[in-house]
Amino acid sequence: MDKRKVYIEKLTAQLKEWDAKIDILKAKYEKAEADAKIEYKKTIDSLQGKYKEMQTRLHDLETAAEDAWEDVKSGTEKAIAELKTAFNEALSKFK
């Protein structure tokens, strides 16, 4: 299996995991007090925006020309790091 396919599969699995974490935050939002709901909503909206950006980047990786996919991958790596940080902050904040 080539590196590109492995990378795309890994990113796809990570996106599924993040989607599940967003669902967890949504469930906590539903049970939260009114004041906390505001903070949950802002956090969920932010994470969903970053998640959608990662979906776009995944599509870009899948459709990039063979000679250009490494460039697309390097931009994706930065976005992945930002999204991981955002998820870790959100999950620790709302434990």
Side-chain angles (χ1 to χ4, degrees), residues 46-63:
S46 174
L47 290 173
Q48 285 179 320
K50 291 176 190 297
Y51 176 83
K52 287 178 183 175
E53 178 186 341
M54 287 306 304
Q55 287 179 311
T56 300
R57 289 184 179 271
L58 175 61
H59 176 74
D60 292 346
L61 282 169
E62 292 172 329
T63 59

Side-chain angles (χ1 to χ4, degrees), residues 17-40:
E17 182 180 326
W18 286 330
D19 192 37
K21 288 179 180 181
I22 289 173
D23 288 343
I24 290 169
L25 287 174
K26 286 179 182 177
K28 289 182 178 186
Y29 166 82
E30 293 299 326
K31 296 177 183 177
E33 300 285 327
D35 292 341
K37 281 190 173 192
I38 295 168
E39 202 58 39
Y40 269 106

Side-chain angles (χ1 to χ4, degrees), residues 8-26 47 51 54-55 58 80 83-85 87-88 91:
I8 289 170
E9 287 178 1
K10 180 181 172 185
L11 183 56
T12 300
Q14 184 66 65
L15 283 172
K16 287 179 183 178
E17 182 180 326
W18 286 330
D19 192 37
K21 288 179 180 181
I22 289 173
D23 288 343
I24 290 169
L25 287 174
K26 286 179 182 177
L47 290 173
Y51 176 83
M54 287 306 304
Q55 287 179 311
L58 175 61
I80 289 170
L83 187 53
K84 281 183 181 179
T85 300
F87 266 107
N88 289 337
L91 293 174

